[in-house]
Amino acid sequence: MQASVALVLVSHNGAGWLPTVIDGIRNQQAPVSFAVTIDTGSTDRSVEILEETFAQVVKLPASTTFADAANEALAILHQAAQPPEWIWFLHDDSTPDPHALATLLNAAEEYPEADILGPKIREWPSLRRMLELGVSISVTGNRETGLERGEYDQGQHDDVRRVLAVNTAGMLIRREVLEYLGGFDKHLPVLGTDMDLGWRAANAGFTTIAVPDAVVFHVEAAHRGVRKTQLTGRRIHYQERRAALYTLLVNGRPGTLPLWLIRFFFQTLWRMLGFVLVRDPGAALDDLAALGWIYGHTGQIMVAKGRRRKQAHANKDEVKALLPPPWLPYRHGLDFVSDVATAVTLQASDIAERRQMAQADADPASFAAKRQAERDQLDEDEIPAESGLLVRLFTNPVAVLLVIVGILGVVGARAALGGVAGSGLGPTPQGAGDWWQLQFESWHAISQGTGVPAPPHVFPLAVLATILGGNPSLAVTGVMLLSFPVALGGAWRLLRVAGRLISHLGAPRWLLLWGSTAYALVPYVSGAFGDGRIGPVVVGAMLPWLAHAGLGFSDPVADRRWRAGWRTGLLLTVITAFAPMAFLVAAVFAAVIFITIRKLMPAVLRDRDQWGPPAAAIATPVALLLPWWLPLIFSGGWAGLLLDPGRMPAPAAGGFDLLVGRLTGFDGADLGAPWWLGLALPLLAVLALIPSRTRIPVLVCWIGAVATAVVTMLLSWIPIHLDAGIARVGWGFPLVAIQGLAVVAAVLGVQGAILDGLRGVRKVMVGAAAAVAAVGAIGSLGWFVYGGGGELTDNTRALGHIGVPSYMLDPTSTTLGPEDGVLVLRGSVDEGIRYAVLRNDGITLGEDEIAQVAGGSQDLTGVVRRLAADPDDAVIGDLSAQGVAYIVMPGPADTAVAEGIDASGSVTQASTVESSTRAWLLDSEPSDPGVTESYSIIRSILLVLAGMGLFVVLVLCLPTLIQRRESA
């Protein structure tokens, strides 16, 4: 006897699918006894279509949930004269195969213990791709189907098996079982009702099976965002996540609710981070909102959990076996990472192959064309020769030379190995924690105490040191050592793109090799590296990548322009942290370009996608560096906005120095390679103006270089008064930028000459220019490799405080405390006395800039003046009251001042390493100077906001890795 079956069809704005669904119902081989159709406030023709086919349509408001609609149908069936044995649920976007119901009923006879049966769900309209064959839920709330993403139905899953739950689209359930379970949970408005019902049934001892021979095709309109309702809202992900968390909590084991709530908190934070990384902040907020709903309805969850506990009679181990293993989500995570890596690799490989094919078509003499010709000559069954990375490298002479140059650059920077310090580079602290502490302190125990904030370049160094195991010395070594190959690669990439903007063939590779080598050497042959100036070294490494990112402003795709804007802003922020002049120059350029566009192309300013990315690039450094700039201005240390990192006195550069790329020391001596080696670049940049094909871009480079020089010269007129003397603005960025623009101009000029044709006099000129360029580059590289380390040394403590005996800064070797200071006097009475107070282990990298900008206290300055003029017992006593334990005068010490201190009678001679250095120990016990660190909640909040802003910018720099549901 055929079992009685009632059809329950729930519809909401499904007019587009209902005709097909109704045809599927009519074509069923197993007829239904009667049907209950429910419409929930449809605004299309759904009701009319249903009324044309079914005798009665129950109309409910749009606020009715699927659970309420299904429960309403259950109540109607319960009151029927002959209540059916089975209920078959269908959605308005799910159409059954003609054999679906008959196959389910046959399975019910074959497996009499089955109480709930579900079909194989295949995608509609593709019809072949499988969606579900029974479902379960992981400990992280993911809906597990046991299928691969996009898996096609080839009969590989055609065994009937027990599952935790089945989809309500096509579900066949015993009416008495559904009534016993209390129907569907009304707290699940749209999604998750099937999972909750199946889990409850399993706990109650009922059996759910998946019948793969029965097939239902499903659009999944709500899940895919195709249909938005009053219940789902605009973010369907919120409903999915809320349903998953609710289902896990109400059906989980008793007594585990508090642990689940704690776990969900950290799990949500981790998921939010993942969504942000793939640029889907909406999903991250949905997860947070779902967690908030759970925390706000714990009472309701406890009631639902208690109700389920009363019905739970099944063996817990049997139910647990229906759940996926706890390690499955982590495997999915690894699979996702592997999929992304594979996709990126394949995409990069595909792009590289297409570029090689384009290059082969454009230039038959290129290496790409030769390789393509070799492949074409192979027989069909012949295996091509190995063409891996190493083979391609060693068969390309220019690539081999580029690698050799990079290696030679690292060899030339060998002085940075093993910890490094120099006349302009202070010693590193003991651990990365010291740098982090320096960042968060609002008052530093430096000299007599100061509120000048730590310089911004300490932050990236602290991050790098933390990544490297908390080793600041290794971080500085890595920056100084590896900046050359980074600059070399960046220059190659930039020059290659710039060359292709002139011609699709691009610049010759030998020309790119020369240009990238000449540029990468700039911070080193200028003397910045040898003097320990970390700012120009970092600028040299980052500037070509900044310029390359800026070229993305011309991309025709708006999303790529915005990513280029954020990348440019991030790189500009890093460069500005190490060279504040970079932002000032960039701001001037931005203002000039804005005024020009406003006059010539006002329509551009009406398109946010045109002006927005450059504006974002300029605004990013302001937003991210504000926590450092604001305290610097309010503490009176505005000079830090103009100075490069490093100790004073800083090297300078006049007009000729900028031209040849050399820095001059405080004593007037050249710090870098011989100046005549630097003449090659400006000479080639001038000659680059001759070829007509590239004259305009070369002029642009010249305008940029001249403008940078003018801005720098104007700002250099501002005197910056420090205790170490009058300082000028930082020259690191202008020097590197001008030399870099000269390199680009020279490369484009040579490329233009080649395109115009090498004939007659022009051929001779290009040959002479090539000789000059080769001499300049090879000579500079040889100078650097041979001995370009300058005054860098790994004796960081000795160079950190020249002339100061190390035992005075080592509390373990004296009876003094770390807060007791060493007064260091330099200079003479005639030229002026400069002083500094060293405490703890002395002044380290990052503290140098603070001490120089802050200066000394007025009280201590007055005492030092009296000490230099007429030292007596009272002066020595005042020094002791300031917390000074030692006086040191590094050689050559001023004789008059030294004799006066000797005659004071209140000091004792202290031992020194050099005979020209004088040192004394004060006889009186130093007083507590009260110089201690302090912290401010405002400072901490600013730094946290900066960290969050940095994370947001990093995410915005990434490409969109996921596809929105609406466009799926």
Side-chain angles (χ1 to χ4, degrees):
M1 179 178 178
Q2 180 71 45
S4 59
V5 180
L7 169 68
V8 173
L9 176 62
V10 180
S11 173
H12 178 82
N13 288 340
W17 307 294
L18 277 175
T20 305
V21 174
I22 293 174
D23 287 342
I25 296 172
R26 286 172 175 165
N27 295 330
Q28 289 301 302
Q29 292 185 348
V32 297
S33 303
F34 52 93
V36 177
T37 56
I38 298 180
D39 183 84
T40 57
S42 293
T43 57
D44 58 4
R45 296 187 61 255
S46 296
V47 175
E48 298 177 18
I49 295 173
L50 291 174
E51 289 178 341
E52 291 174 359
T53 305
F54 302 101
Q56 180 181 5
V57 178
V58 180
K59 302 173 185 177
L60 299 177
S63 59
T64 306
T65 67
F66 176 84
D68 289 336
N71 292 339
E72 177 69 18
L74 179 62
I76 294 174
L77 295 174
H78 180 76
Q79 297 173 1
Q82 294 182 347
E85 180 183 357
W86 296 93
I87 300 177
W88 189 34
F89 286 97
L90 283 178
H91 300 177
D92 59 356
D93 62 342
S94 62
T95 182
D97 179 83
H99 304 280
L101 180 57
T103 304
L104 290 174
L105 291 173
N106 291 336
E109 293 182 4
E110 184 177 356
Y111 301 94
E113 72 278 7
D115 302 290
I116 305 176
L117 300 92
K120 177 193 299 179
I121 306 295
R122 294 211 304 233
E123 190 180 45
W124 182 13
S126 74
L127 306 183
R128 297 298 302 174
R129 189 176 294 124
M130 292 189 295
L131 298 177
E132 292 178 358
L133 186 56
V135 292
S136 186
I137 186 170
S138 69
V139 293
T140 57
N142 290 333
R143 189 180 180 95
E144 300 292 344
T145 64
L147 303 174
E148 298 294 333
R149 190 185 310 116
E151 183 175 356
Y152 279 86
D153 186 9
Q154 297 175 332
Q156 67 272 39
H157 299 288
D158 281 356
D159 294 330
V160 177
R161 63 176 182 269
R162 186 179 180 185
V163 294
L164 179 69
V166 293
N167 200 305
T168 50
M171 172 193 292
L172 183 67
I173 183 173
R174 297 183 187 273
R175 179 187 54 80
E176 294 179 350
V177 171
L178 184 58
E179 290 179 345
Y180 174 82
L181 295 174
F184 293 95
D185 194 328
K186 63 181 181 181
H187 298 116
L188 297 171
V190 180
L191 304 170
T193 52
D194 51 0
M195 190 75 70
D196 172 73
L197 180 69
W199 202 343
R200 282 191 287 144
N203 282 331
F206 298 112
T207 301
T208 301
I209 64 172
V211 183
D213 289 338
V215 178
V216 169
F217 304 96
H218 196 191
V219 175
E220 293 187 312
H223 170 73
R224 297 175 184 271
V226 177
R227 171 168 52 196
K228 295 180 177 65
T229 69
Q230 177 180 326
L231 298 172
T232 60
R234 301 185 61 183
R235 303 299 304 187
I236 192 64
H237 179 76
Y238 162 74
Q239 297 291 350
E240 292 178 337
R241 187 61 182 164
R242 182 174 80 90
L245 298 182
Y246 177 85
T247 301
L248 285 171
L249 289 176
V250 298
N251 293 290
R253 291 192 175 185
T256 59
L257 180 61
L259 296 178
W260 277 105
L261 292 175
I262 296 173
R263 176 173 184 165
F264 285 160
F265 174 79
F266 293 103
Q267 190 181 99
T268 299
L269 293 181
W270 182 250
R271 285 171 57 91
M272 290 178 65
L273 176 62
F275 282 123
V276 170
L277 287 177
V278 296
R279 298 189 66 190
D280 193 4
L285 294 176
D286 287 343
D287 265 33
L288 184 62
L291 182 67
W293 186 91
I294 291 296
Y295 283 164
H297 295 78
T298 53
Q300 176 180 308
I301 292 172
M302 293 178 65
V303 172
K305 193 174 183 68
R307 187 182 305 116
R308 285 161 172 76
R309 191 183 306 122
K310 296 178 181 178
Q311 295 180 340
H313 308 301
N315 185 293
K316 292 182 175 55
D317 292 335
E318 292 183 2
V319 177
K320 184 178 179 181
L322 301 175
L323 297 170
W327 47 260
L328 186 62
Y330 306 103
R331 196 194 75 176
H332 288 336
L334 293 176
D335 291 342
F336 174 76
V337 173
S338 176
D339 290 344
V340 171
T342 302
V344 171
T345 302
L346 292 176
Q347 183 183 26
S349 177
D350 180 62
I351 292 174
E353 185 175 355
R354 283 189 279 113
R355 286 179 175 175
Q356 290 174 3
M357 294 176 63
Q359 184 180 5
D361 294 337
D363 185 6
S366 65
F367 290 100
K370 294 178 181 179
R371 286 195 297 269
Q372 185 65 37
E374 291 174 356
R375 294 192 190 100
D376 294 340
Q377 292 175 0
L378 293 175
D379 294 335
E380 183 178 352
D381 298 330
E382 189 175 354
I383 300 176
E386 175 62 37
S387 59
L389 177 62
L390 291 178
V391 173
R392 294 198 304 270
L393 172 65
F394 287 110
T395 55
N396 189 332
V398 176
V400 172
L401 288 176
L402 185 68
V403 173
I404 291 175
V405 170
I407 295 174
L408 290 176
V410 174
V411 172
R414 61 190 177 277
L417 290 171
V420 61
S423 60
L425 181 65
T428 55
Q430 298 297 326
D434 296 325
W435 272 339
W436 288 115
Q437 179 180 346
L438 195 67
Q439 290 290 320
F440 282 91
E441 287 174 357
S442 59
W443 187 264
H444 309 290
I446 300 174
S447 185
Q448 298 304 100
T450 177
V452 173
H457 70 270
V458 174
F459 180 80
L461 289 176
V463 172
L464 180 59
T466 303
I467 295 173
L468 295 175
N471 191 332
S473 178
L474 185 59
V476 174
T477 295
V479 170
M480 301 293 282
L481 192 66
L482 299 179
S483 288
F484 183 90
V486 173
L488 185 71
W492 175 281
R493 185 178 179 88
L494 173 64
L495 294 174
R496 184 178 63 177
V497 174
R500 288 177 177 172
L501 294 176
I502 303 301
S503 168
H504 67 279
L505 297 175
R509 292 196 172 192
W510 59 265
L511 185 59
L512 298 180
L513 174 64
W514 171 84
S516 55
T517 302
Y519 171 79
L521 285 168
V522 169
Y524 301 90
V525 298
S526 66
F529 175 82
D531 197 52
R533 301 293 165 179
I534 195 172
V537 174
V538 174
V539 170
M542 295 288 104
L543 190 56
W545 298 99
L546 169 68
H548 183 272
L551 294 177
F553 292 150
S554 61
D555 196 289
V557 181
D559 182 61
R560 293 177 182 172
R561 289 199 298 271
W562 278 104
R563 292 206 304 269
W566 294 117
R567 282 197 299 269
T568 304
L570 181 62
L571 291 170
L572 181 59
T573 301
V574 175
I575 292 176
T576 303
F578 285 90
M581 277 291 295
F583 179 76
L584 297 178
V585 174
V588 171
F589 279 130
V592 172
I593 293 173
F594 172 79
I595 294 173
T596 304
I597 291 178
R598 186 175 182 182
K599 293 292 185 181
L600 301 180
M601 296 180 292
V604 173
L605 300 180
R606 292 192 289 269
D607 186 356
R608 188 174 69 93
D609 289 332
Q610 294 289 342
W611 61 262
I618 292 296
T620 298
V622 178
L624 295 183
L625 296 178
L626 207 61
W628 288 272
W629 287 354
L630 281 180
L632 194 65
I633 295 173
F634 287 120
S635 63
W638 61 270
L641 297 176
L642 300 175
L643 298 174
D644 283 347
R647 292 179 163 179
M648 294 289 127
F656 182 75
D657 295 325
L658 288 177
L659 192 65
V660 297
R662 299 295 183 267
L663 292 174
T664 303
F666 184 70
D667 56 357
D670 293 334
L671 297 178
W675 62 268
W676 52 268
L677 286 174
L679 285 175
L681 271 183
L683 177 61
L684 292 172
V686 172
L687 294 176
L689 292 169
I690 297 177
S692 58
R693 291 280 295 270
T694 54
R695 189 171 297 155
I696 292 179
V698 170
L699 276 173
V700 171
C701 293
W702 269 103
I703 292 172
V706 172
T708 302
V710 169
V711 172
T712 305
M713 293 295 183
L714 292 176
L715 291 176
S716 67
W717 291 347
I718 303 175
I720 303 173
H721 296 277
L722 303 174
D723 288 348
I726 297 179
R728 301 295 177 181
V729 297
W731 290 88
F733 174 79
L735 186 143
V736 176
I738 291 173
Q739 293 295 302
L741 288 169
V743 169
V744 176
V747 170
L748 295 180
V750 174
Q751 183 182 0
I754 295 174
L755 293 174
D756 287 343
L758 301 179
R759 296 180 299 273
V761 177
R762 179 171 296 177
K763 185 175 182 179
V764 176
M765 292 181 61
V766 171
V772 172
V775 170
I778 296 174
S780 299
L781 182 61
W783 174 89
F784 175 50
V785 173
Y786 178 73
E791 299 181 4
L792 290 182
T793 177
D794 60 359
N795 188 3
T796 57
R797 291 298 154 189
L799 270 179
H801 311 290
I802 298 175
V804 180
S806 59
Y807 70 86
M808 295 182 182
L809 300 177
D810 186 3
T812 61
S813 62
T814 68
T815 58
L816 303 175
E819 71 280 355
D820 297 323
V822 178
L823 177 65
V824 182
L825 303 177
R826 302 182 189 272
S828 63
V829 175
D830 296 334
E831 298 177 355
I833 296 292
R834 305 188 306 273
Y835 77 90
V837 178
L838 308 180
R839 302 186 189 277
N840 296 309
D841 58 349
I843 297 179
T844 59
L845 178 61
E847 296 176 338
D848 288 316
E849 293 81 357
I850 298 175
Q852 288 160 179
V853 173
S857 68
Q858 294 183 355
D859 293 340
L860 183 57
T861 300
V863 175
V864 172
R865 286 175 179 167
R866 290 163 51 203
L867 177 69
D870 184 21
D872 53 20
D873 292 347
V875 173
I876 300 301
D878 290 342
L879 281 178
S880 179
Q882 292 285 339
V884 174
Y886 288 98
I887 302 175
V888 176
M889 296 187 67
D894 186 278
T895 305
V897 177
E899 291 177 351
I901 297 176
D902 284 333
S904 66
S906 299
V907 296
T908 302
Q909 290 283 342
S911 61
T912 61
V913 177
E914 299 179 3
S915 58
S916 61
T917 298
R918 300 295 306 278
W920 300 270
L921 172 66
L922 277 61
D923 293 340
S924 57
E925 189 76 18
S927 303
D928 184 1
V931 181
T932 57
E933 303 89 351
S934 63
Y935 301 88
S936 167
I937 185 65
I938 297 179
R939 173 70 179 163
S940 300
I941 292 175
L942 286 175
L943 289 175
V944 170
L945 291 177
M948 295 172 61
L950 176 61
F951 178 76
V952 171
V953 172
L954 283 171
V955 171
L956 292 174
C957 291
L958 299 174
T960 304
L961 297 179
I962 66 171
Q963 190 179 32
R964 299 289 187 271
R965 273 201 179 103
E966 290 79 356
S967 61

